Amino acid sequence: NRVPSVISHPVPSVEGLLAIDPPDPTRAGRIPVIMETARRLVIECEGAAVFIPVCGPLALANGLVGMDEVLCTMMEDPELVAPALGHLA
């Protein structure tokens, strides 16, 4: 009944973000349930606009690594942060 939140950051550094494999949207976590629900809403609520919220790469990086780590790396090694965020996107 609540929005999921991060209890601990599972990735130790921004560099670790580059090693993450993208999830399979047909099987990963809640993605299939959300997509099926959206399909059903489109059919059952004809004419309704159905939107699915997504998390952007910076918010995702903050959740995986931690905001302090991401911000410090942005200042110390911006050339690393750009490809890491692109990988998450």
Side-chain angles (χ1 to χ4, degrees), residues 4 11 18-20 25-26 35 40 51 57 62 67 74 87-89:
V11 180
L18 293 166
I20 295 174
T26 63
M35 296 303 292
R40 290 175 55 196
F51 299 94
N62 287 339
M67 185 184 297
M74 283 179 172
H87 180 71
L88 292 177

Side-chain angles (χ1 to χ4, degrees), residues 38-50:
R39 280 189 207 95
R40 290 175 55 196
L41 283 170
V42 167
I43 293 168
E44 294 178 24
C45 302
E46 189 175 328
V50 177

Side-chain angles (χ1 to χ4, degrees), residues 8-37:
S8 65
H9 304 291
V11 180
S13 68
V14 171
E15 188 172 30
L17 296 173
L18 293 166
I20 295 174
D21 291 327
D24 176 355
T26 63
R27 297 182 297 130
R30 298 176 297 168
I31 298 172
V33 173
I34 293 168
M35 296 303 292
E36 177 59 25
T37 301

